Amino acid sequence: MAQYDRSKIRNFCIIAHIDHGKSTLADRIIEMTGLLTKREMQSQVLDNMDLERERGITIKAQAVRTVYRAKDGNEYIFNLIDTPGHVDFNYEVSRSLAACDGAVLVVDASQGIEAQTLANVYMALDHDLEVFPVINKIDLPSADPEEVAKEIEDVIGIEAMDAPKISAKTGLNCEEVLEQIVQKLPPPEGDENAPLRALIFDSVYDSYKGVIVFMRVMDGEIRPGMRVRMMATGAEADVVETGYFGAGQFIPCESLSAGMVGYLTASIKNVTDTRVGDTVTDAKRPAPEPLPGYKKVNPMVYCGLYPADGAHYSDLRDALEKLKLNDASLFFEPENSVALGFGFRCGFLGLLHLEIIEERLEREYNLDLVTTAPSVVYRIHKTNGEMIELTNPTNMPAPAEIDYMEEPIVAAEIIVTSEFIGAIMDLCQERRGVYKSIEYIEAKRAILKYDLPLNEIIYDFYDALKSRSRGYASFDYELSGYIRSELVKLDILVNREEIDALSFIVYAGNAYERARKMCEKLKDNIPRHLFEIPIQAAIGSKIIARETVKAVRKDVLAKCYGGDITRKKKLLEKQKEGKKRMRTFGSVEIPQDAFMSVLKLDET
Amino acid sequence: MDAYFDMLSEEISLSPYTGREVSSVYFGGGTPSLADPLKIRGILDQLRKEFRILADAEITIEMNPGTVSREKLRIYRESGINRLSVGLQSCSDEMLKKLGRIHTFRDFSDTFWMAREEGFENISLDLISGLPGETPEIFRDSLEKAIAFAPEHISVYSLIIEENTPFYALYGPSGKKRGELPDEETERGISHLADRVLEASGYEKYEISNYAKCGYESRHNLGYWTGVPYLGFGAAAASYVGGRRFRNAMDDDYLSLPYEECEVLEKEDLMAEMMILGLRLTKGVSLSSFQKRFGKDLMEVYGPVVEKYRSLGALALSGDRLFLTDYGMDAANVVMADFL
């Protein structure tokens, strides 16, 4: 094969605050380097799940290789790695960044620097990436590129006066971005003759090729026929194919050597063997040390997923198995509930991960699901000395058997501008946070450190943080351990019948408040029936909150003659549509959303 | 107006169903009594030519009080119209004003007696319940005044606040006068009151919102509820014939291209319609008619729903008839939605 001149390779990512134009610029780069014509491009090539396009976020890392003929007359290979954009996937982000040598920082010319801009830049700098800024959306009337350039220099401290001022939407000045990628970002380093070390930054499952491992070769060379070992999981396999990333397709090549980004296939059946962050090495000549930074990511949040129609249990299992092929961090095992029948207890990286899986199951696999309230993993120390990890509130032992309980705690770092420090401290206080420190990173920005119980942040903490800081706070956290805590199980009774799937575990001090809100929420969620429905919350046998769904007493009497019939039917169908997503308990129909409503207790 | 009647006449002449037997004709929707009565007569004459209108056909025209003269009524009578449906709405001038009606109770009274004098022996009155500020006492007073005229037929509907109306701004979910509307419990009381007072005065409730003296049930409207085919002509008119429902364009669009929509009704649709329309009637749905029409046992199709609402006391089964109980009538939508 043609030996690549490593100095003509650029491995980079694009980083930006949400909506500053990351994906649009990626599209332009792919388009301008001639890999695809405008017509072939579905906008935003890199976000290839429908869901990603709709939510405007990237869920899985993606990569694409293009070739750029620079003004110096040379051809450069660009490997653009797109990174996920949410705290749930922070670990994946860090591995994607580790696969790059440089980053293009996109800043909106009218918005300027925002929280994620900084969080992303710091993360890139942590990975020793070269970063150069690009000022986007200069075609907007409110654009002030000079001011934004100055801000970048002042706040981030990187050179910005010659930052390309572009419109990724129209393509204006985007050529300049390509030139600066060549000039400002470094070529990869690495020793081609050293034992193979390649960093896995993602993998996908293909039904013909098995697992396709996305990797960045750091040292050595990989080629088909070679036996490789994943240094952390210990899995071994014979490489069948190596190649690089076309847009939306895999292009085989003879080998990949140090500095290159590409993929390997090796008839690997299971993505759990090829975990993100692991190092691929030569089984015959292994590297002495793996690449730094590997960790096994464990699910942080559990919930029950049930088919709305019990007959679809095996469809749900098949769908979960298929999703698991592409998602090593998804966990599931069968469970059953008195109220909901057979289903699965599933583990996720966070709430967004949960929502994504749920939506994919519903859309791609056409399943109607009931989701129970998410729970973190509690540790229960029983009086007999045994310790159990509780992922399902229903399995909580009787109070007499419990010596004490523990809940997971995270070390949280919140970066916020000084005017919102008070509001954010209040929020952390409300969420049972323990203040650790505050540190000013510059005159008007500080890092707040708190220990927070995980169950206080998985639901809506991120939203609350954003709203109380007008979007200016950024947030990161790491599981730091378990602490002893007073926890109780709250049971919900609808029409005097306990609905096990609605039980949840709550900090004792918040039990009354939560119980009251839960009952209110359910009251609003459960449609009126022909009879009155009491909704009660109980701890053990003690009722601590109650609401009532009133009975329907009188419908509106509308005319229903010739021309009204279609309309009447539509009205009834709408009423019925609401009922479709409901589950019948005894004689009460409860909408499926109600099972998630515990999440949104803090909304008014 | 001329253009409208020209189009109407053309539409009738182009109907593929001419020659069919017709047992009722209804001029309604909007206020047909505002039109030139000779035009109405013209249309009726044309219908007689194109269709076989039975000698004892029920021929109704809708009118608002104060919109007709003695002469108009005479022309209606001469042209064969034998039933009037009068949009009285309320006998309280205060309520009529709130409704934005231009007529007064006095206007109604004049119109009614004039119609009687002109020989109309079958008159229906429309009343609206649930008006802003209405109490059971106000409603009862209005109802009793209406009954005093001894009409053959009375309809009682709830006030419905439609979007994009001035009413919606005031009484809609965020309107500042929302609170003036009677609450659900009051509406229920008013509805039960209507049942009681009308029954005591010799009106039988034969449909969820319609009451009639014996033998004066609206033949035309009963057709809608029992699946009899009908043809509609004019703007926004609907037809149901040959398992399809057609709808004409609205307002001025009608003048350029009358036909707009056609909905093909599958067997399941027809079964559901038979249920939701049939249950509006106090006599309910006949199990044998269902069997005859669809070749299927009603209980085989809807057994679980029927049982559910029977056990809740909303539906009752007696001999061949499945019908809403009084309790079920109050919450008819809840029950009907389950038949879709």
Side-chain angles (χ1 to χ4, degrees):
Chain A
M1 68 167 270
Q3 270 302 314
Y4 287 104
D5 175 357
R6 217 190 297 150
S7 69
K8 303 286 187 297
I9 297 176
R10 297 291 181 272
N11 299 322
F12 64 97
C13 56
I14 304 173
I15 54 180
H17 188 80
I18 191 163
D19 286 338
H20 280 199
K22 181 174 92 158
S23 299
T24 317
L25 179 60
D27 288 352
R28 273 311 83 72
I29 291 175
I30 294 163
E31 187 186 288
M32 291 173 62
T33 46
L35 204 138
L36 286 175
T37 64
K38 267 189 189 170
R39 278 187 49 165
E40 284 169 329
M41 298 201 39
Q42 199 174 0
S43 106
Q44 305 198 350
V45 171
L46 289 181
D47 289 350
N48 57 22
M49 281 189 268
D50 282 350
L51 250 163
E52 295 187 323
R53 225 168 271 136
E54 273 169 39
R55 292 187 174 224
I57 54 165
T58 306
I59 298 161
K60 279 188 84 74
Q62 298 289 337
V64 67
R65 191 189 92 142
T66 67
V67 180
Y68 173 58
R69 183 177 287 277
K71 287 181 181 154
D72 65 9
N74 292 314
E75 281 197 339
Y76 288 84
I77 292 171
F78 283 2
N79 286 304
L80 167 56
I81 297 172
D82 200 12
T83 56
H86 189 273
V87 63
D88 278 8
F89 305 105
N90 252 356
Y91 179 66
E92 279 80 353
V93 178
S94 79
R95 294 306 85 202
S96 295
L97 292 178
C100 298
D101 305 299
V104 179
L105 170 68
V106 180
V107 184
D108 183 308
S110 56
Q111 310 276 330
I113 290 175
E114 294 194 38
Q116 280 178 312
T117 315
L118 278 172
N120 285 320
V121 168
Y122 293 138
M123 211 195 285
L125 296 176
D126 277 351
H127 288 86
D128 294 325
L129 302 191
E130 263 325 305
V131 179
F132 79 84
V134 166
I135 298 169
N136 189 22
K137 303 196 190 181
I138 58 160
D139 52 329
L140 292 183
S142 54
D144 190 353
E146 271 67 37
E147 184 54 39
V148 169
K150 196 167 165 295
E151 196 181 37
I152 294 170
E153 294 200 334
D154 289 352
V155 178
I156 305 175
I158 57 173
E159 168 73 36
M161 281 311 148
D162 62 345
K165 298 177 178 59
I166 66 163
S167 165
K169 203 170 112 198
T170 65
L172 179 69
N173 295 339
C174 288
E175 189 77 25
E176 184 55 24
V177 179
L178 302 178
E179 281 299 315
Q180 291 207 3
I181 290 169
V182 170
Q183 290 155 17
K184 296 200 164 173
L185 301 184
E189 292 174 357
D191 181 355
E192 274 163 40
N193 300 313
L196 171 67
R197 290 205 296 178
L199 173 71
I200 301 178
F201 62 88
D202 200 2
S203 57
V204 297
Y205 183 80
D206 178 274
S207 45
Y208 299 107
K209 296 179 172 177
V211 176
I212 301 172
V213 179
F214 292 24
M215 60 185 179
R216 154 75 189 270
V217 183
M218 296 295 187
D219 291 314
E221 190 187 47
I222 185 167
R223 54 173 63 241
M226 204 167 156
R227 185 156 187 84
V228 290
R229 180 188 305 151
M230 316 301 151
M231 296 182 80
T233 65
E236 288 195 10
D238 296 313
V239 177
V240 174
E241 184 180 310
T242 55
Y244 50 83
F245 307 104
Q249 56 182 332
F250 297 101
I251 300 169
C253 67
E254 278 174 38
S255 71
L256 293 168
S257 58
M260 297 177 74
V261 172
Y263 69 90
L264 74 85
T265 67
S267 302
I268 302 163
K269 289 281 168 289
N270 203 327
V271 282
T272 50
D273 287 338
T274 58
R275 289 187 171 270
V276 170
D278 201 351
T279 302
V280 183
T281 192
D282 185 346
K284 294 209 181 86
R285 187 165 80 105
E289 289 284 325
L291 295 163
Y294 173 76
K295 64 180 183 188
K296 184 169 181 288
V297 186
N298 289 314
M300 302 261 249
V301 179
Y302 286 80
C303 76
L305 287 182
Y306 290 82
D309 175 350
H312 293 147
Y313 171 77
S314 59
D315 297 340
L316 175 58
R317 188 190 53 221
D318 292 349
L320 282 167
E321 274 166 5
K322 284 199 185 117
L323 289 178
K324 170 94 185 155
L325 288 174
N326 266 326
D327 186 347
S329 46
L330 172 66
F331 164 88
F332 65 93
E333 67 182 14
E335 71 170 8
N336 77 74
S337 140
V338 181
L340 300 173
F342 289 98
F344 296 91
R345 176 91 346 207
C346 303
F348 306 93
L349 296 176
L351 210 64
L352 179 75
H353 188 209
L354 183 163
E355 283 174 20
I356 288 163
I357 296 290
E358 192 192 5
E359 271 191 62
R360 291 190 66 187
L361 288 168
E362 297 202 329
R363 275 195 216 186
E364 295 168 30
Y365 297 91
N366 215 4
L367 289 162
D368 218 352
L369 297 176
V370 180
T371 313
T372 67
S375 169
V376 301
V377 183
Y378 297 99
R379 284 183 184 163
I380 299 180
H381 296 266
K382 294 169 74 171
T383 46
N384 64 7
E386 198 189 330
M387 192 276 280
I388 55 170
E389 292 206 328
L390 187 74
T391 58
N392 181 353
T394 317
N395 300 337
M396 181 137 147
E401 290 174 41
I402 300 172
D403 182 8
Y404 66 96
M405 287 176 72
E406 290 180 308
E407 66 176 323
I409 291 291
V410 299
E413 283 189 12
I414 301 160
I415 302 178
V416 65
T417 47
S418 47
E419 66 215 280
F420 299 115
I421 287 173
I424 299 304
M425 289 179 85
D426 285 347
L427 173 66
C428 292
Q429 209 73 41
E430 288 161 27
R431 302 301 176 99
R432 300 190 282 134
V434 176
Y435 170 81
K436 303 306 271 189
S437 68
I438 185 165
E439 193 185 308
Y440 278 82
I441 47 176
E442 41 149 325
K444 290 195 72 193
R445 296 174 69 82
I447 304 181
L448 269 170
K449 292 190 180 174
Y450 269 88
D451 281 346
L452 282 157
L454 180 62
N455 83 354
E456 296 285 345
I457 63 169
I458 54 167
Y459 303 142
D460 57 354
F461 185 77
Y462 197 67
D463 293 339
L465 193 71
K466 289 283 167 196
S467 78
R468 293 203 199 179
S469 66
R470 285 195 222 127
Y472 270 86
S474 66
F475 167 59
D476 196 8
Y477 63 84
E478 210 170 30
L479 196 64
S480 63
Y482 275 79
I483 57 155
R484 192 166 166 156
S485 183
E486 283 303 314
L487 299 160
V488 292
K489 179 172 152 238
L490 207 60
D491 294 318
I492 302 294
L493 292 86
V494 175
N495 210 20
R496 293 174 194 85
E497 205 181 316
E498 185 183 318
I499 311 288
D500 62 353
L502 283 174
S503 296
F504 60 102
I505 288 171
V506 59
Y507 174 65
N510 294 342
Y512 279 84
E513 177 77 358
R514 289 252 148 192
R516 190 178 56 75
K517 283 186 174 166
M518 181 76 180
C519 289
E520 273 174 18
K521 198 83 188 180
L522 282 169
K523 179 190 160 205
D524 294 340
N525 263 307
I526 296 176
R528 293 160 68 204
H529 286 53
L530 289 179
F531 45 87
E532 193 178 279
I533 305 164
I535 298 166
Q536 297 157 306
I539 298 173
S541 58
K542 190 179 168 210
I543 304 288
I544 63 167
R546 184 197 156 111
E547 288 284 345
T548 305
V549 180
K550 285 195 184 145
V552 173
R553 300 286 287 160
K554 181 72 195 141
D555 281 335
V556 170
L557 276 182
K559 294 186 186 191
C560 189
Y561 304 130
D564 308 316
I565 294 173
T566 309
R567 191 173 162 205
K568 173 81 184 174
K569 253 170 68 180
K570 279 189 185 141
L571 274 172
L572 291 175
E573 259 155 21
K574 211 167 138 197
Q575 200 168 326
K576 167 117 182 180
E577 200 51 38
K579 283 190 166 191
K580 237 172 65 183
R581 296 185 57 83
M582 290 199 204
R583 201 76 200 196
T584 307
F585 297 94
S587 46
V588 180
E589 284 166 329
I590 302 180
Q592 296 173 21
D593 298 349
F595 295 93
M596 283 288 272
S597 62
V598 63
L599 295 184
K600 288 155 187 146
L601 293 184
D602 291 322
E603 283 173 12
T604 45
Chain B
M1 216 42 170
D2 281 352
Y4 182 80
F5 275 95
D6 289 347
M7 181 49 104
L8 182 59
S9 170
E10 191 182 332
E11 193 198 350
I12 293 168
S13 66
L14 290 174
S15 171
Y17 302 99
T18 50
R20 290 222 180 176
E21 196 172 86
V22 170
S23 63
S24 67
V25 179
Y26 199 98
F27 291 90
T31 314
S33 56
L34 288 172
D36 179 349
L38 296 173
K39 293 277 185 195
I40 301 284
R41 185 163 79 184
I43 292 296
L44 204 45
D45 289 346
Q46 188 189 355
L47 289 172
R48 285 187 206 283
K49 268 188 238 140
E50 312 264 11
F51 295 91
R52 288 197 293 132
I53 295 182
L54 297 176
D56 66 341
E58 176 189 282
I59 303 175
T60 310
I61 187 164
E62 270 185 3
M63 60 174 52
N64 278 345
T67 58
V68 289
S69 60
R70 190 174 288 278
E71 199 200 341
K72 242 185 204 180
L73 288 164
R74 194 166 294 154
I75 296 171
Y76 289 160
R77 193 82 196 110
E78 284 165 7
S79 57
I81 291 173
N82 53 25
R83 186 171 180 272
L84 300 178
S85 173
V86 184
L88 165 59
Q89 321 303 5
S90 172
C91 294
S92 150
D93 283 341
E94 191 195 331
M95 290 295 159
L96 288 171
K97 210 166 168 185
K98 278 192 186 168
L99 276 171
R101 292 284 158 168
I102 47 164
H103 70 266
T104 59
F105 177 57
R106 179 67 201 261
D107 292 333
F108 160 73
S109 172
D110 293 348
T111 299
F112 188 88
W113 294 125
M114 209 152 64
R116 282 291 195 226
E117 283 160 27
E118 289 308 315
F120 284 96
E121 287 164 1
N122 187 354
I123 301 179
S124 173
L125 305 182
D126 279 1
L127 290 173
I128 294 185
S129 71
L131 300 170
E134 188 173 68
T135 61
E137 291 70 35
I138 295 175
F139 178 80
R140 184 183 190 120
D141 184 58
S142 174
L143 181 62
E144 283 173 346
K145 278 184 181 147
I147 290 170
F149 285 82
E152 283 66 35
H153 186 281
I154 292 180
S155 304
V156 183
Y157 305 109
S158 307
L159 175 69
I160 293 175
I161 311 290
E162 302 273 5
E163 275 180 70
N164 306 318
T165 59
F167 248 64
Y168 196 80
L170 279 179
Y171 300 105
S174 51
K176 63 176 189 294
K177 291 192 165 183
R178 180 79 176 172
E180 285 186 24
L181 294 177
D183 62 14
E184 198 177 351
E185 209 55 47
T186 310
E187 276 232 56
R188 186 169 188 261
I190 289 174
S191 161
H192 291 185
L193 179 76
D195 288 352
R196 272 201 318 277
V197 172
L198 282 161
E199 200 179 335
S201 313
Y203 294 88
E204 196 198 343
K205 179 175 186 167
Y206 69 101
E207 195 250 8
I208 195 158
S209 52
N210 281 285
Y211 307 79
K213 283 189 179 165
C214 187
Y216 285 95
E217 295 84 7
S218 165
R219 195 190 299 170
H220 190 82
N221 292 340
L222 276 170
Y224 290 133
W225 302 318
T226 51
V228 176
Y230 50 88
L231 297 172
F233 302 110
S239 303
Y240 163 66
V241 62
R244 292 180 164 81
R245 185 168 289 111
F246 301 89
R247 179 181 281 279
N248 284 353
M250 312 244 277
D251 306 325
D252 285 349
D253 291 345
Y254 170 72
L255 297 179
S256 42
L257 186 73
Y259 315 106
E260 196 173 69
E261 288 176 16
C262 169
E263 180 192 1
V264 178
L265 299 165
E266 306 292 343
K267 191 173 176 183
E268 293 79 61
D269 299 321
L270 292 170
M271 288 195 289
E273 281 192 12
M274 181 164 180
M275 298 311 295
I276 62 176
L277 294 170
L279 287 175
R280 295 181 68 88
L281 299 172
T282 46
K283 70 175 171 101
V285 177
S286 150
L287 301 187
S288 56
S289 303
F290 190 94
Q291 170 82 42
K292 214 168 114 195
R293 193 164 160 203
F294 300 111
K296 266 192 176 175
D297 185 33
L298 188 152
M299 292 304 280
E300 187 190 313
V301 185
Y302 295 115
V305 185
V306 171
E307 285 316 320
K308 174 176 163 191
Y309 289 107
R310 275 183 76 194
S311 69
L312 291 169
L315 279 176
L317 195 55
S318 166
D320 184 43
R321 297 185 302 115
L322 176 72
F323 55 93
L324 286 169
T325 60
D326 291 348
Y327 170 57
M329 283 271 178
D330 283 339
N333 289 341
V334 177
V335 181
M336 287 171 181
D338 263 357
F339 282 94
L340 283 179

